[in-house]
Amino acid sequence: MLKTRLLHPAILEALGEAGHGSQVLIADGNYPLLTRSHERAHRVFLNLAPDLLRVTDVLGVISEAIPIEAAHVMTPDTGDEPPIFGEFRKLLPGLDLIPLARFDFYDAARGPDLALAIATGERRIYANLLLTIGVVPPDPSAG
């Protein structure tokens, strides 16, 4: 048994293979994961039932496991901000959300840097995140 909260073997494998600049897509239940994620990305389906699991559940665990240097969000054509963005900000303190229009978001998620695509059962709309993995700095005490 691992001591971290992240236990899912396929997610651990994908994150272990990823590095600085690699991306992780956490998608809501309406997201077309098969056709709008890069073909070489690991795909993990956590969409057991409506709202199981939610994007914010997955984000809370993933954000403890990797450094995140950027977070892109899908924005509606109306320009209105979905309420879930406030929850994203709470889970990603100090990080600005970078807005992308729907089809620009799809294009970004189909890019070659996508290492992991996670489908959730999230029913809130526009609850899609494209995270960019940052750098783990060296331990200064390691000399």
Side-chain angles (χ1 to χ4, degrees), residues 1-53:
M1 177 63 73
L2 298 172
K3 292 171 60 174
T4 67
R5 285 196 334 141
L6 179 57
L7 300 176
H8 195 284
I11 294 175
L12 287 167
E13 177 184 13
L15 294 177
E17 292 176 354
H20 181 223
S22 295
Q23 294 181 314
V24 175
L25 169 65
I26 307 174
D28 66 26
N30 290 303
Y31 193 91
L33 199 73
L34 183 63
T35 59
R36 298 296 182 164
S37 62
H38 195 275
E39 61 198 24
R40 286 193 324 257
H42 291 267
R43 291 190 181 111
V44 175
F45 295 90
L46 300 179
N47 50 343
L48 178 65
D51 286 327
L52 289 178
L53 293 166

Side-chain angles (χ1 to χ4, degrees), residues 32-129:
L33 199 73
L34 183 63
T35 59
R36 298 296 182 164
S37 62
H38 195 275
E39 61 198 24
R40 286 193 324 257
H42 291 267
R43 291 190 181 111
V44 175
F45 295 90
L46 300 179
N47 50 343
L48 178 65
D51 286 327
L52 289 178
L53 293 166
R54 290 179 145 204
V55 168
T56 48
D57 297 327
V58 176
L59 177 59
V61 174
I62 294 286
S63 66
E64 294 174 4
I66 59 170
I68 299 170
E69 72 178 23
H72 290 83
V73 291
M74 181 189 290
T75 57
D77 294 337
T78 62
D80 296 334
E81 183 173 294
I84 196 167
F85 286 13
E87 292 183 49
F88 291 163
R89 286 187 185 94
K90 287 179 187 173
L91 291 165
L92 298 167
L95 200 61
D96 290 330
L97 300 179
I98 303 166
L100 289 175
R102 181 173 139 208
F103 289 102
D104 292 334
F105 189 95
Y106 287 157
D107 289 344
R110 292 181 73 198
D113 289 329
L114 187 69
L116 173 61
I118 302 170
T120 71
E122 179 72 64
R123 291 190 295 176
R124 292 174 287 182
I125 59 172
Y126 293 96
N128 301 297
L129 275 168

